[in-house]
Every structure is written in structure tokens, then in C-alpha cells.
Amino acid sequence: YTFGFPFLTKTDREHILTGVNELNLFKNVFSPKYGHSLSFIGFVQPSSGGLVTMSEMQARWAAELIMGTCLLPTPTQMQNSINQDRCWERNWYYNSKRLTMQKIPILYNDELAAMIGCKPDIRKHPTLAWNLLLSVSPFHWRLDGPDAWPGAEEMVARIKPPPFYYYSALLFITLIIFAVLGILKLF
């Protein structure tokens, strides 16, 4: 598949589509030229997991911008961010005409959530730390900030990360402990 946007003028299409399936959109949603007056919801491809939580976060961000509760960066800042993201993506993902919108769901959603004030604060929810760091659910971004939901904490607690994630995290922590102990032996 390829993007076409037949509902836009040729000039606007050329501004938004800068290559084959390559979007010139800030965080895959907003054009630096049009700001929040035109948003593209769902133009993101999760590297793992589902599209729904990412699209929901995009829609919430667009709604908060429309309501005026948050602001977009300047057009120059947005374009610089687009260029940085594109550079990172080209180094991280396989270069393909299909993989032009890849994002890591937790990192992407946290980035958008920070802009609207609903990024979960682990310090406020220490008992949910593992779940917040190692799993993805729409409830993560309903713990704090606008549209917080009282039942979100219980739902996040119910969603358990896959066992492999626990072992990976434990291995990482063990390696850190051994590194610290090794450093301490030097003194």
C-alpha cells in the first residue's frame, strides 16, 4: 500500500508526503505547516503490540490541543523533531517502504502523554512499577492527568507482563549489582 491523500491539494500532499510512504508529520500526527488544525490519527505502526493504544493517545493529544489545554512546539521545532525522529528510525529499523511509521509503543505513548500531562508517574504508583515499565495497556495513561480514571490503577495491576520480561529485568538488575560491586572493589 501507499499513501495518497487525494483529499489534499497537490501542494499540501507534497508538503506532508516527502517520499514513498514517508510522512512529514510531527510525531506522525501534525504538519508543521498546519499545526493542530489538521491531524492524522492512526498513522503509526507499533513495533510490537497493538495500534489502538497509540491511536487513542494521538486522538487524546489532538483533543487537548483543540481545547487549548496544551500547545504544539513552533513549526521549526516540529520540523527539527521530525528530522531527528527520521534519522533515529533509519538507524533503528530496516529501511523499507513499509516501515516508515514504526514506533516503540511505550516510548511513543509516554512521549505524547507527557505533552498532555497524563504520563504515568511511577513515584505515585510504586506498586505498579513493573507493570508500567514492562507492559502496555490503555489504562497506563489513565492513571494521572486529564481524563484520569479511578479504576485505572486496578486494571494496570491486573495486566501482568510476559514472564520473559521479568527474567530480562532481573538479569539487568543482577548485572547492575555486579557492576556496582565490581566498581566498589576498585576502591
Side-chain angles (χ1 to χ4, degrees):
Y1 60 85
T2 57
F3 305 134
F5 305 121
F7 52 89
L8 296 174
T9 66
K10 183 177 188 252
T11 305
D12 292 339
R13 278 194 306 270
E14 288 171 355
H15 176 75
I16 291 169
L17 272 171
T18 56
V20 177
N21 287 349
E22 192 169 85
L23 301 171
N24 191 50
L25 297 174
F26 177 62
K27 304 302 172 196
N28 291 40
V29 182
F30 298 103
S31 163
K33 183 176 179 181
Y34 300 107
H36 71 274
S37 64
L38 177 63
S39 58
F40 293 82
I41 306 300
F43 281 88
V44 64
Q45 187 174 12
S47 58
S48 65
L51 175 65
V52 175
T53 59
M54 298 171 84
S55 297
E56 178 187 0
M57 190 55 62
Q58 290 176 332
R60 287 179 66 190
W61 182 32
E64 294 295 329
L65 285 162
I66 291 166
M67 291 187 297
T69 58
C70 64
L71 298 172
L72 284 172
T74 67
T76 301
Q77 291 170 325
M78 286 194 283
Q79 190 61 56
N80 289 340
S81 177
I82 291 167
N83 295 340
Q84 288 173 348
D85 287 352
R86 193 172 290 144
C87 181
W88 185 87
E89 290 160 7
R90 284 182 178 150
N91 289 320
W92 186 257
Y93 297 110
Y94 175 74
N95 188 15
S96 160
K97 292 177 184 176
R98 282 202 72 249
L99 301 177
T100 60
M101 302 181 301
Q102 290 279 105
K103 301 288 182 193
I104 299 170
I106 292 176
L107 300 179
Y108 181 76
N109 281 354
D110 274 353
E111 192 171 14
L112 299 187
M115 290 189 233
I116 65 174
C118 69
K119 181 178 176 182
D121 186 347
I122 292 177
R123 294 170 299 180
K124 290 182 183 177
H125 311 282
T127 59
L128 301 176
W130 281 113
N131 295 38
L132 290 172
L133 292 170
L134 302 175
S135 67
V136 179
S137 81
F139 309 112
H140 284 58
W141 299 281
R142 295 289 180 178
L143 289 166
D144 301 306
D147 301 315
W149 176 52
E153 193 163 325
E154 179 185 343
M155 295 307 290
V156 171
R158 285 185 186 180
I159 298 169
K160 301 297 181 201
F164 175 74
Y165 285 12
Y166 282 115
Y167 298 127
S168 299
L170 290 173
L171 176 62
F172 180 71
I173 290 169
T174 303
L175 291 172
I176 289 174
I177 291 170
F178 282 125
V180 168
L181 292 174
I183 290 171
L184 291 177
K185 284 183 181 180
L186 296 174
F187 295 103

